[in-house]
Amino acid sequence: MSKPSRPRDLTDLPGVGPATAEKLLEAGFKTFEAIAVASPQELSAVTGLSVAAAQKIIAAAREALDIGFKTADEIYARRLKVAKLTTGSKNLDKLLGGGVETQTITEFYGEFGTGKTQLCHQLCVNVQLPREAGGLEGKALYIDSEGTFRPERIIAMARALNLDPQQALKNIIVARAFNTDHQMLLVEKAKELVPEQNVKLLVIDSITGHFRAEYPGREALAARQQKLNRHLHELSRLADAYELCVVATNQVMARPDMFFGDPTAAVGGHILAHAPGARVYLRKSKGEKRIARLVDSPYLPEGEVVFMITDEGVRDA
Ligand code: GTP
Ligand code: MG
């Protein structure tokens, strides 16, 4: 079943009267999608309803959106709606099965300087392109946890594609994340911004930095992974509900023996072991060249390609 396109009134949901609808709207729960992916606790907190009542409202929103069991043909129909965002390199696109996919999380992981942040910048520009040119005709939301977002790079990349640099900058909404809680809160806020602003790409660069800093060492590993999993789950639901690309970066060490104390820093270590999506391992090659390898894709063959980071941005080697 497809979603009706008519914007729906929250009071269409059983259990939501005008007063509750008002509270939900004020708290940013403006759509059925936002309610469907909320937790009963948060809805209860903003509406003053019991958790059980909030649970019923969430269930009703999910039902209305047809979230739950689906037949295989419905899943296939949804797969057909997956759109691909170009990376700027045809080879890298090919590795990803046509580009970075909507409805899922794509993880780029690798050592420092392998081009994770450059790729994120490039995708923020490319997402603005017309569909014929490999874009998604939408905006980008950039959650910057490392303070490495550079508007100058956006300008250079936009110019190289004959886009108006000022307009390109306007179409990228940037937020600094200062710690893990803040980072997760920004994803909460994103639920509001995404539909309002026609956001088609959500970047988190990097997704793991604050988690590593706040939960150092082996003892904290379980707690860290648990929280990170919650974060990934939220992101995954966001990607699914709003049909956007979620791109996360993750710095890993190539030499685990040089970085004892962090067991996830092993070669091939990645965050998405239990979340859906594509994982791309990046490593350096000569000069501007980088090697990308697709790892553990649910349905694409593993492989490796070479791309380049040039002054104009991400390109084929
Ligand atoms: P960490 O965040 O430290 O883990 O690294 P990263 O994987 O995000 O690396 P990043 O994307 O920042 O890549 C940095 C590399 O991109 C630099 O070492 C340069 O090789 C390249 N680069 C960055 N800006 C430019 C540029 O304007 N022109 C060219 N040609 N290369 C650039
Ligand atoms: Mg970086």
Side-chain angles (χ1 to χ4, degrees), residues 110-119 146 148 153 156 205-206 249-252 282 284 287-288 290 309-313:
E111 266 190 278
F112 71 94
T114 46
K116 302 182 293 294
T117 297
Q118 292 300 310
L119 261 165
E146 316 208 305
T148 51
R153 277 304 274 154
D205 183 28
S206 90
T249 71
N250 177 21
Q251 196 196 67
V252 296
L282 300 176
K284 288 177 213 166
E288 298 182 314
R290 299 290 185 275
I309 303 165
T310 70
D311 290 350
E312 283 77 41

Side-chain angles (χ1 to χ4, degrees), residues 96-249:
L96 291 165
V100 172
E101 291 194 339
T102 57
Q103 300 183 15
T104 192
I105 306 173
T106 302
E107 175 188 357
F108 291 102
Y109 69 104
E111 266 190 278
F112 71 94
T114 46
K116 302 182 293 294
T117 297
Q118 292 300 310
L119 261 165
C120 290
H121 280 65
Q122 186 70 61
L123 291 169
C124 286
V125 176
N126 292 358
V127 73
Q128 305 180 33
L129 291 169
R131 300 222 173 217
E132 313 84 80
L136 298 173
E137 295 166 14
K139 295 188 188 178
L141 195 57
Y142 199 109
I143 299 179
D144 181 9
S145 72
E146 316 208 305
T148 51
F149 179 80
R150 293 287 174 273
E152 298 81 0
R153 277 304 274 154
I154 298 297
I155 292 173
M157 289 171 175
R159 284 216 174 98
L161 294 173
N162 290 319
L163 293 174
D164 172 11
Q166 282 305 322
Q167 196 53 50
L169 290 171
K170 278 198 173 62
N171 289 335
I172 305 171
I173 306 158
V174 185
R176 266 306 296 275
F178 293 104
N179 55 49
T180 55
D181 285 330
H182 187 210
Q183 190 171 314
M184 290 170 85
L185 190 69
L186 288 170
V187 172
E188 274 306 306
K189 291 295 283 181
K191 286 178 195 163
E192 221 172 297
L193 270 174
V194 163
E196 259 172 30
Q197 298 283 330
N198 186 35
V199 170
K200 282 289 161 196
L201 167 69
L202 170 61
V203 167
I204 307 199
D205 183 28
S206 90
I207 191 165
T208 42
H210 287 314
F211 283 87
R212 293 226 167 98
E214 283 171 41
Y215 298 84
R218 252 172 224 282
E219 310 74 49
L221 189 62
R224 175 171 96 189
Q225 197 57 41
Q226 206 170 25
K227 193 169 180 184
L228 190 54
N229 282 346
R230 208 165 358 115
H231 192 33
L232 284 164
H233 192 63
E234 287 297 312
L235 288 167
S236 180
R237 289 200 293 186
L238 200 64
D240 192 52
Y242 297 109
E243 303 193 11
L244 76 155
C245 300
V246 172
V247 169
T249 71

